[in-house]
Amino acid sequence: MDNVPTVWRFLRSRSGRGFLLHLSICAVLSVAVGYGFYYFSLNWFKDHKSSEKITALQLVDAFVTEYSAIRSQFGEGAPVPASFRAHAIEAFNRQNGDNSDFRLRSVGMPGREISTPPTDSRMAETLAAFAAMPNPKPVSELLDVGGELTFRTVYPTIAQQQSCVNCHNALQPDKQQWHLNDVIGAFAIDVPLSPFQRKVIWQSAGTGLGLFFALAFAGLMISLLHFRQLEALNASTAELGRTQNFLDSIIENMPVSVAVKDARDRCYVLINRTAEAIFGIARGDLIGKQADGPLSKDTASELFPLADQAAHSRDLQTIDEQVVHTRHNGTRILTTRNLSIPDETGEPRYLLSLSEDITERKHAEARIEHLAHYDALTDLPNRAAFVEHLKHTIDTAEKSAESFALLSIDIDGFKEVNDMFG
């Protein structure tokens, strides 16, 4: 059951749709190849069997013609060629039986036959066409005879001997007289194609199916490989998207101002939420616009102090204390770091500025410094301030070779008064 979603996902993917299209093309190609094999086999049968059957009928005609030429040597009781031919063919057919795949006939011209007329209208039309030709040639064709596909070869019988003409005229005294070189009939061979056709159909179907399955299997392997590559690519893209979202979330929520601008066209590329809060700006008003524009020139100097120097030096530039006067939050003290980010050629591509608001910390440090040197109650300098000031005075006097005086006043009972009354 776990494979069903995978199969469905494959069929709905671009690889699956390509595979279905490939199957359609394979089916059309396989049908075309199968039909071509069937058509080629039938044509091959027609071409090869035609010459074979014509050769056989030429031999039969030669035997009959030769018999007609030498019949007089056998006496008056010898069978006439027409009867001899008809009886011999009937005997041949009886010997082969009704189920034979080879049916030989000797037929006469329609209405002028001696014993066997044409078997169907198509054979009669062929004989009539022979009679109208000055030099008739044998013909072979595929016909539907009684609902069965049949390969028929018809060989014209021509009165080449005067004895044959005389014989036919003697047998048909009441009909139109025959003359030398007249088409008096034909030999016909009918070969049922059902066994061969069934064999060719199976071979054609097997060829087409074999080709279809081979091409389909190859297409399936290629499609599955492409599908796996797409799945891996999609997974990598999704992972990259998640990583991008994660990094965007980190940058957006960093407690320092992050601003990026293009070093080439000086356009703002990125400004995070902390930068908006510190400088009192809206990123939508700046992103995509040039930092040197009239509307953002002051903001650019605040977001990217000494930006040109940072771009040219390509080193991390640190500004320990940057004083910024904001309209919404008064004067702020920032620590700013500028960094030039190069492209693949080493030229500056982006300029990154990170600013941390240290205003509160500086105020706290100032208060601590004040408390360390001044009395909390009287706000007068304490012992530490006195010692530090004295040390500084001594150092200055030593460096300048000057002298100074120290006045010490002692108040009796001052400690008790201070402890008691504060």
Side-chain angles (χ1 to χ4, degrees), residues 225-240:
L225 178 62
H226 185 251
F227 174 70
R228 292 193 181 99
Q229 291 175 343
L230 286 181
E231 288 272 283
L233 180 60
N234 291 336
S236 299
T237 302
E239 182 63 26
L240 183 61

Side-chain angles (χ1 to χ4, degrees), residues 12-157:
R12 294 183 62 186
S13 67
R14 186 171 62 182
S15 301
R17 293 194 297 270
F19 175 65
L20 294 179
L21 177 61
H22 174 76
L23 284 184
S24 302
I25 297 175
C26 289
V28 173
L29 181 62
S30 299
V31 170
V33 170
Y35 178 78
F37 181 84
Y38 175 78
Y39 181 78
F40 172 80
S41 298
L42 289 183
N43 283 332
W44 177 90
F45 183 89
K46 180 179 178 181
D47 293 340
H48 288 72
K49 293 298 180 181
S50 175
S51 60
E52 177 184 305
K53 298 300 184 288
I54 290 173
T55 301
L57 292 178
Q58 285 176 336
L59 291 174
V60 174
D61 186 54
F63 291 150
V64 174
T65 301
E66 181 65 17
Y67 174 74
S68 176
I70 65 175
R71 174 177 173 271
S72 59
Q73 301 177 13
F74 298 107
E76 294 295 332
V80 297
S83 301
F84 172 75
R85 179 173 60 218
H87 293 159
I89 291 175
E90 289 177 1
F92 174 79
N93 289 333
R94 283 195 302 270
Q95 182 179 357
N96 286 338
D98 295 334
N99 296 326
S100 172
D101 58 357
F102 185 91
R103 301 167 188 171
L104 175 62
R105 294 183 180 89
S106 175
V107 298
M109 294 296 293
R112 303 178 66 186
E113 69 275 359
I114 294 177
S115 60
T116 308
T119 57
D120 50 56
S121 59
R122 179 58 185 167
M123 187 177 292
E125 293 173 0
T126 303
L127 292 177
F130 283 161
M133 295 178 185
N135 186 22
K137 300 294 182 181
V139 296
S140 297
E141 56 186 343
L142 295 175
L143 299 173
D144 186 353
V145 179
E148 182 180 28
L149 185 63
T150 302
F151 179 72
R152 172 176 290 174
T153 301
V154 183
Y155 184 89
T157 304

Side-chain angles (χ1 to χ4, degrees), residues 164-391:
C164 184
V165 174
N166 296 335
C167 177
H168 276 71
N169 287 334
L171 292 174
Q172 298 175 315
D174 55 342
K175 295 185 178 181
Q176 181 181 353
Q177 294 297 293
W178 297 97
H179 301 89
L180 195 64
N181 294 325
D182 282 349
V183 178
I184 60 177
F187 293 107
I189 296 179
D190 283 350
V191 179
L193 283 184
S194 297
F196 177 77
Q197 187 180 24
R198 284 193 296 270
K199 179 181 178 181
V200 171
I201 289 176
W202 280 107
Q203 290 177 342
S204 302
T207 301
L209 288 176
L211 178 63
F212 174 78
F213 285 120
L215 294 177
F217 180 76
L220 179 61
M221 293 298 99
I222 295 174
S223 298
L224 287 176
L225 178 62
H226 185 251
F227 174 70
R228 292 193 181 99
Q229 291 175 343
L230 286 181
E231 288 272 283
L233 180 60
N234 291 336
S236 299
T237 302
E239 182 63 26
L240 183 61
R242 287 191 293 270
T243 302
Q244 181 67 41
N245 293 334
F246 174 70
L247 293 177
D248 290 343
S249 178
I250 290 178
I251 293 174
E252 182 68 14
N253 294 281
M254 286 180 65
V256 297
S257 166
V258 179
V260 180
K261 70 176 179 179
D262 196 311
R264 298 174 182 174
D265 57 17
R266 304 291 181 178
C267 288
Y268 291 105
V269 177
L270 177 109
I271 296 175
N272 72 344
R273 183 167 54 190
T274 304
E276 290 183 306
I278 292 176
F279 296 98
I281 58 177
R283 73 183 88 180
D285 297 336
L286 296 177
I287 299 239
K289 296 181 180 179
Q290 288 188 341
D292 298 335
L295 298 179
S296 59
K297 190 172 183 180
D298 294 337
T299 303
S301 62
E302 295 175 351
L303 283 172
F304 297 94
L306 304 179
D308 293 335
Q309 296 180 16
H312 288 93
S313 67
R314 302 185 185 181
D315 294 328
L316 180 63
Q317 183 186 57
T318 301
I319 303 174
D320 293 329
E321 293 188 13
Q322 175 193 357
V323 179
V324 176
H325 302 284
T326 65
R327 290 176 296 178
H328 71 296
N329 203 18
T331 300
R332 312 303 296 176
I333 302 174
L334 310 177
T335 295
T336 301
R337 291 176 176 84
N338 292 331
L339 179 64
S340 175
I341 301 175
D343 58 13
E344 60 275 4
T345 64
E347 294 298 320
R349 183 68 181 91
Y350 298 104
L351 187 62
L352 170 66
S353 177
L354 302 176
S355 297
E356 181 183 3
D357 189 350
I358 61 172
T359 305
E360 302 302 330
R361 188 174 69 192
K362 295 298 292 183
H363 290 170
E365 290 176 354
R367 286 195 298 271
I368 294 174
E369 178 71 17
H370 185 78
L371 291 175
H373 293 83
Y374 292 87
D375 183 74
L377 180 61
T378 63
D379 201 30
L380 294 174
N382 58 14
R383 182 183 295 273
F386 169 74
V387 171
E388 182 176 335
H389 183 69
L390 179 61
K391 182 177 182 301

